[in-house]
Amino acid sequence: MIEFKHVNKKYPNGFEALKDIDLTIGQGEFVAIIGLSGAGKSTLIRTINRMHDITNGTLTVDGTDVMQLHGKSLRAFRRRIGMIFQSFNLVTRTTVIKNVLTAFVPELPWWRAALGIFTKAEKTAALEALDKVGILDKAFVRADQLSGGQQQRVALARTLAQNPQIILADEPVASLDPVTAKQVMDDFQRINRDMRITILINIHHVDLALQYATRVIGIRAGRVVYDGPAGEVDGAVLDAIYQDRKEATA
């Protein structure tokens, strides 16, 4: 379970990205976070794995105070949380399976990591992860020969190889065409349903958020202005979330 209690985040330049956030996210939820660019969506999910530190308040994951973690304990904690980015973050000049195998590198002895030596069990786990996202047949293809959607699936397989309890996704389909975006969202939905992994997606596509997520959190200017079932999001809710855009164009 993820709990935000009166969480604030202020950057060194004085910008307040998060303001008094109170949220509880249970294990196995599929949550979409929506709002304008700059509203605080990315900051919110990146505080969960300490990519960004909160300024004050309390943020706990399964009872662990995230801000109390340092060094080895922080690295171990992050192993439980997968992260998917818009830009895929693959080594494009090597094969798909080698990209997935990098999920094991943080736990390897330095000499195995340096030489790229992986056990049969690790290779099997990498292939199983690729199978779960439907691209097992691409295992020995160079990553730069794949489409954008296939590359995002490789990134998702790499995350699954970590055996995470939580997956954070920061605009994972923003650079994909509508058909491919839907295919990737199908993968997230299936993983959430079948593996009961908690998924939090920061997403600009409101239609996809409402179609796939079971819960929607709307953020405006660093504050939560909606938190509820996706099926209850209506025009009034969207007006509240995107009010700043309406005012700018009025």
Side-chain angles (χ1 to χ4, degrees):
M1 184 165 63
I2 304 166
E3 289 189 278
F4 292 80
K5 294 182 179 178
H6 304 294
V7 167
N8 294 272
K9 169 62 179 179
K10 181 183 285 189
Y11 288 103
N13 64 2
F15 177 70
E16 290 185 276
L18 300 176
K19 304 170 185 176
D20 198 29
I21 302 294
D22 278 305
L23 290 170
T24 299
I25 298 166
Q27 182 63 37
E29 288 199 72
F30 191 152
V31 181
I33 303 167
I34 63 174
L36 292 171
S37 295
K41 304 187 304 298
S42 291
T43 301
L44 180 72
I45 66 170
R46 289 172 185 232
T47 60
I48 295 171
N49 62 356
R50 280 275 306 271
M51 287 186 71
H52 294 327
D53 288 343
I54 64 174
T55 305
N56 49 54
T58 305
L59 172 55
T60 60
V61 177
D62 292 336
T64 299
D65 187 335
V66 174
M67 290 302 294
Q68 298 302 311
L69 298 172
H70 303 281
K72 187 176 181 179
S73 63
L74 177 58
R75 290 192 294 272
F77 168 76
R78 285 173 169 162
R79 290 287 298 160
R80 297 157 45 197
I81 303 176
M83 186 79 190
I84 305 290
F85 299 92
Q86 176 181 342
S87 58
F88 318 138
N89 286 6
L90 302 181
V91 181
T92 55
R93 291 177 294 178
T94 192
T95 61
V96 165
I97 190 170
K98 286 183 178 179
N99 273 278
V100 178
L101 285 167
T102 61
F104 301 107
V105 167
E107 296 181 344
L108 297 183
W110 69 267
W111 59 272
R112 281 183 57 198
L115 296 174
I117 297 174
F118 298 94
T119 66
K120 182 178 179 180
E122 288 161 349
K123 292 176 182 177
T124 298
L127 291 171
E128 289 175 348
L130 287 168
D131 191 35
K132 287 173 183 174
V133 296
I135 54 170
L136 179 59
D137 60 320
K138 304 295 184 181
F140 300 100
V141 174
R142 272 178 47 140
D144 59 6
Q145 296 179 14
L146 303 183
S147 67
Q150 290 170 332
Q151 289 190 47
Q152 191 61 287
R153 283 176 158 153
V154 175
L156 183 52
R158 180 180 57 196
T159 293
L160 290 177
Q162 295 177 216
N163 194 28
Q165 295 173 322
I166 299 166
I167 293 178
L168 309 175
D170 194 2
E171 293 292 351
V173 298
S175 61
L176 305 179
D177 65 79
V179 173
T180 307
K182 188 177 184 303
Q183 292 170 344
V184 171
M185 291 298 292
D186 285 341
D187 290 332
F188 279 114
Q189 186 179 60
R190 186 177 63 256
I191 288 163
N192 170 256
R193 182 187 64 236
D194 297 346
M195 303 177 69
R196 299 302 296 164
I197 296 174
T198 305
I199 295 180
L200 282 80
I201 290 185
N202 160 20
I203 187 168
H204 273 299
H205 300 284
V206 175
D207 56 335
L208 293 178
L210 301 184
Q211 180 180 352
Y212 287 95
T214 54
R215 175 180 173 186
V216 169
I217 294 171
I219 296 183
R220 179 167 60 85
R223 298 186 184 277
V224 174
V225 295
Y226 177 79
D227 180 10
E232 294 181 10
V233 175
D234 56 17
V237 168
L238 294 177
D239 284 346
I241 296 170
Y242 295 98
Q243 180 180 349
D244 295 342
R245 180 168 62 192
K246 288 185 65 181
E247 291 174 348
T249 57

